[in-house]
Amino acid sequence: MVRLPVVIGVAFFFVFPYLWLAGSSFRPREEIFRYVSPVSWRTFVPVAPTLDNFRHLFFELNFGRALANSLGIAVVTVTITLFICSMIAFALARIRFPGREIVFTLILATILIPFETIMVSVFLTVQRLGLFDSYPALILPWVTDAFIIFLLRQHFREISDELQDAAIVDGCSLFRVYWNVMLPNIRPALVSAAFVKCVFSWDAFLWPLIVTRDPDLTVVQLAISRLFTDQNVLWELIFAGAFVGTVPLIVLFLFLQRYYVEGVVTSGFK
Amino acid sequence: MDIKRPSAHAIEQYRSALLLSVPALVGLAVFWYMPTIQAVVLGFQDYNLMSGSQAWTGVENFQTAATDPLLRLTFLNTVVYFLMEVPLQMALALALALLVRRGPAWLRTVILVPTVTSMVVVSVIWGLMYHPNSGLINSLLGSVGVAPQPFLTSAQQAMPSIALLMIWKNVGFSMLFFLAGLVSIPGNYYEAAETDGANSAQLFRYITLPLLRGTVVFLLITNTVTAFKVFTPIFLITEGGPINATRVVVLYIFENAFRFNKMGYAAAISVLLALFLLIISVYSLRVSRTK
């Protein structure tokens, strides 16, 4: 075991912004400013906790709409991604067909092209498809994900040939093999892929910033960023918004940490 | 008959493979391959988003790029940011990996939490923490006797401040890869070296580091690409200021495309950035292979 003070110091470095964020989201503005300096327990713990900030966010700023949008988009994105990517990953891993290596190389090649360098033309594509300012525009560009195809392909490859052969001898079509035999066998990898994609989808900011105008389509990150860039910066609302926008993912992460680590390390996802 | 049956089976297989691949391939074609080609084409055009007018301008956009002083500055700024963020972040990640391996299990969790926190939230919280008068960092510094720092309003401190928050956010990712790399080093290497009388510094220098080289190369490439894509914290916190001190390439692409309505020029810069990153990635891979 390493020395405790080092561990505590490192932990504090990563935790203190969350303590400040969580504490401040439950306090009125004057209290945030009053206790920030000198640093004491009062800097992090509300003296007179209040839910006013959250009330303001949800009842006056329609923050619930942004949360619902992001949640819905994440659920739909993750679902479609898992279907589409697991299908092609299965084909690449378990079916011999001409051109298989070329297809796989072409998929991996997309990793070399950062989205930021093609966002202008993806934007024009979306506009030409008539999808500007719509939910599909926020979802469709993200459902084919080379990292996730790669991750799932790795797991499909690890399944023994006998299992597949036995199923085919029993008269299963390849689709049945995919759906009834292979998918249940890579369930942990599917959870990893789903959570990693969920984090990614929830995080989306630059793309929604470019491709949406309609206030009804505001996603949670845009809503939080607008609290921050607004003319009169209201600190207590920023904290409350950031709190609501962060806690669900952290809670999910605490449950799914094992899958998250596996997903990140296997796919090299960032 | 014997010859025909396997081929029918093979065709059945190809058909299944094709059907299973089509949705993903269509998605990649529409949202990756075609936009990539289009970005290149757009680089040779003048494209007005408002009027939809499109005109070939040859290499004009690239000529402008070559002589644009602001582009030069944004590129240099991005390189400076890269130099501040990547080496320090990777060194810290390795140190944390070594610490986490021998420390309590919850420490890894704590270090990973920023990686699942959104870039926007990290940006706004650090943006407030950096506030000169009411920010938490100055009050923490004050409690150990350090004078208040200007952070984001100073041209010298703004970029390091951005780099620090990005290190805080990203270091967990790199740490995970180092942890995976450390696990794959066989324990008997250390035992053998220890019986030969190697001290812990020597173990690190002659066993750990060389065997982590693959991990280091991989992280160097991915972190470099990530560093050159930096956008959100700068867009939200400094907007490229003060006096262009934090104006980076992707912010400049964004502004040209969506503020100045210069789609063609934005595409030209994008192509140059993509090529630059491609060359760096391929080059580092080749160097690491030949060594």
Side-chain angles (χ1 to χ4, degrees):
Chain A
M1 276 287 166
V2 282
R3 265 192 237 112
L4 197 62
V6 180
V7 172
I8 302 280
V10 168
F12 181 75
F13 176 67
F14 287 97
V15 163
F16 81 95
Y18 295 101
L19 297 177
W20 197 45
L21 154 63
S24 302
S25 60
F26 290 96
R27 56 191 353 175
R29 188 177 327 149
E30 315 77 61
E31 215 188 273
I32 297 173
F33 292 129
R34 190 187 314 153
Y35 294 116
V36 70
S37 185
V39 177
S40 69
W41 63 271
R42 282 193 200 83
T43 311
F44 301 102
V45 181
V47 179
T50 166
L51 291 174
D52 281 353
N53 304 331
F54 298 102
R55 248 173 245 137
H56 192 113
L57 273 184
F58 283 98
F59 296 129
E60 278 157 67
L61 298 174
N62 211 5
F63 202 75
R65 172 86 194 198
L67 277 178
N69 279 340
S70 283
L71 181 68
I73 290 167
V75 168
V76 176
T77 304
V78 167
T79 311
I80 302 181
T81 304
L82 286 190
F83 271 112
I84 289 184
C85 294
S86 69
M87 277 160 62
I88 194 168
F90 169 75
L92 289 169
R94 313 283 335 182
I95 306 177
R96 260 175 241 292
F97 60 93
R100 184 166 78 158
E101 296 309 311
I102 299 170
V103 170
F104 187 54
T105 312
L106 274 176
I107 291 170
L108 289 189
T110 62
I111 291 175
L112 295 172
I113 311 160
F115 173 75
E116 286 78 353
T117 64
I118 56 167
M119 64 180 177
V120 174
S121 33
V122 178
F123 171 82
L124 293 176
T125 303
V126 162
Q127 217 185 25
R128 243 170 249 155
L129 293 172
L131 296 175
F132 178 75
D133 220 6
S134 71
Y135 285 112
L138 294 169
I139 295 168
L140 291 180
W142 306 109
V143 296
T144 39
D145 186 317
F147 290 105
I148 286 177
I149 294 173
F150 180 78
L151 169 80
L152 297 179
R153 175 179 168 273
Q154 294 297 97
H155 283 85
F156 279 131
R157 276 158 68 102
E158 282 164 17
I159 299 173
S160 76
D161 289 337
E162 286 88 53
L163 198 62
Q164 181 166 350
D165 295 342
I168 288 181
V169 167
D170 284 350
C172 280
S173 69
L174 278 170
F175 293 101
R176 288 279 303 278
V177 173
Y178 157 73
W179 188 254
N180 291 345
V181 181
M182 292 295 165
L183 276 189
N185 260 295
I186 62 155
R187 210 174 279 144
L190 291 173
V191 177
S192 294
F195 184 59
V196 164
K197 193 71 193 180
C198 176
V199 172
F200 178 88
S201 175
W202 192 259
D203 194 42
F205 171 66
L206 174 55
W207 181 244
L209 176 73
I210 295 171
V211 89
T212 57
R213 290 282 136 73
D214 186 348
D216 283 348
L217 289 174
T218 304
V219 294
V220 66
Q221 307 304 338
L222 270 181
I224 296 170
S225 78
R226 280 184 189 140
L227 295 170
F228 183 73
T229 50
D230 202 43
Q231 284 301 313
N232 43 358
V233 186
L234 302 172
W235 287 42
E236 69 283 13
L237 293 185
I238 298 172
F239 284 121
F243 182 81
V244 176
T246 305
V247 165
L249 273 198
I250 294 183
V251 171
L252 254 168
F253 166 71
L254 293 180
F255 284 107
L256 299 175
Q257 183 178 178
R258 192 161 62 86
Y259 297 100
Y260 177 72
V261 170
E262 154 71 17
V264 169
V265 172
T266 311
S267 66
F269 174 87
K270 272 201 97 167
Chain B
M1 276 305 259
D2 274 11
I3 306 159
K4 215 180 171 188
R5 269 180 64 182
S7 97
H9 172 69
I11 287 170
E12 173 62 31
Q13 285 210 324
Y14 302 161
R15 214 174 57 94
S16 310
L18 187 68
L19 285 174
L20 288 164
S21 307
V22 159
L25 292 180
V26 169
L28 287 172
V30 174
F31 294 110
W32 287 95
Y33 303 135
M34 276 155 55
T36 305
I37 297 166
Q38 207 201 351
V40 177
V41 173
L42 209 56
F44 296 96
Q45 290 180 334
D46 185 19
Y47 187 99
N48 189 311
L49 190 60
M50 302 300 157
S51 62
S53 71
Q54 217 164 343
W56 291 95
T57 52
V59 292
E60 201 185 291
N61 285 326
F62 293 96
Q63 276 173 342
T64 313
T67 53
D68 180 352
L70 200 50
L71 177 62
R72 235 180 80 108
L73 181 67
T74 60
F75 182 74
L76 287 177
N77 282 341
T78 317
V79 172
V80 166
Y81 165 78
F82 156 76
L83 291 173
M84 287 174 182
E85 205 263 356
V86 175
L88 189 58
Q89 192 238 104
M90 283 179 59
L92 190 63
L94 179 55
L96 289 174
L98 293 167
L99 180 71
V100 162
R101 210 160 63 124
R102 297 188 297 137
W106 55 262
L107 190 60
R108 187 185 77 168
T109 311
V110 165
I111 297 170
L112 285 178
V113 168
T115 69
V116 295
T117 305
S118 74
M119 196 63 252
V120 169
V121 166
V122 171
S123 301
V124 301
I125 294 308
W126 279 77
L128 297 182
M129 290 204 305
Y130 279 136
H131 194 276
N133 308 318
S134 317
L136 182 59
I137 298 187
N138 265 337
S139 70
L140 282 171
L141 288 177
S143 63
V144 291
V146 178
Q149 301 296 311
F151 297 120
L152 305 165
T153 48
S154 138
Q156 283 78 41
Q157 288 186 13
M159 197 60 108
S161 303
I162 299 286
L164 177 66
L165 82 85
M166 289 303 273
I167 289 172
W168 181 85
K169 165 139 173 74
N170 287 334
V171 73
F173 276 124
S174 303
M175 180 195 72
L176 275 186
F177 289 95
F178 278 127
L179 278 173
L182 287 172
V183 167
S184 67
I185 300 176
N188 54 5
Y189 285 24
Y190 292 103
E191 287 157 25
E194 270 172 343
T195 28
D196 289 349
N199 61 32
S200 58
Q202 285 170 322
L203 292 181
F204 180 75
R205 170 72 187 80
Y206 294 106
I207 297 178
T208 312
L209 265 190
L211 287 174
L212 285 179
R213 227 191 59 213
T215 312
V216 170
V217 172
F218 169 79
L219 284 176
L220 199 58
I221 294 174
T222 53
N223 278 319
T224 302
V225 173
T226 310
F228 277 87
K229 297 193 306 191
V230 64
F231 171 80
T232 304
I234 288 172
F235 175 76
L236 287 177
I237 303 176
T238 62
E239 294 174 86
I243 20 170
N244 289 328
T246 58
R247 195 164 300 273
V248 286
V249 177
V250 175
L251 179 62
Y252 197 53
I253 293 174
F254 172 86
E255 288 174 325
N256 272 292
F258 303 106
R259 296 243 164 105
F260 313 147
N261 198 14
K262 291 193 217 163
M263 291 293 207
Y265 189 45
I269 304 171
S270 305
V271 170
L272 293 174
L273 176 64
L275 277 178
F276 173 77
L277 292 175
L278 198 62
I279 291 168
I280 287 192
S281 305
V282 172
Y283 179 76
S284 354
L285 270 180
R286 283 188 64 178
V287 168
S288 73
R289 287 239 177 90
T290 51
K291 239 182 173 179

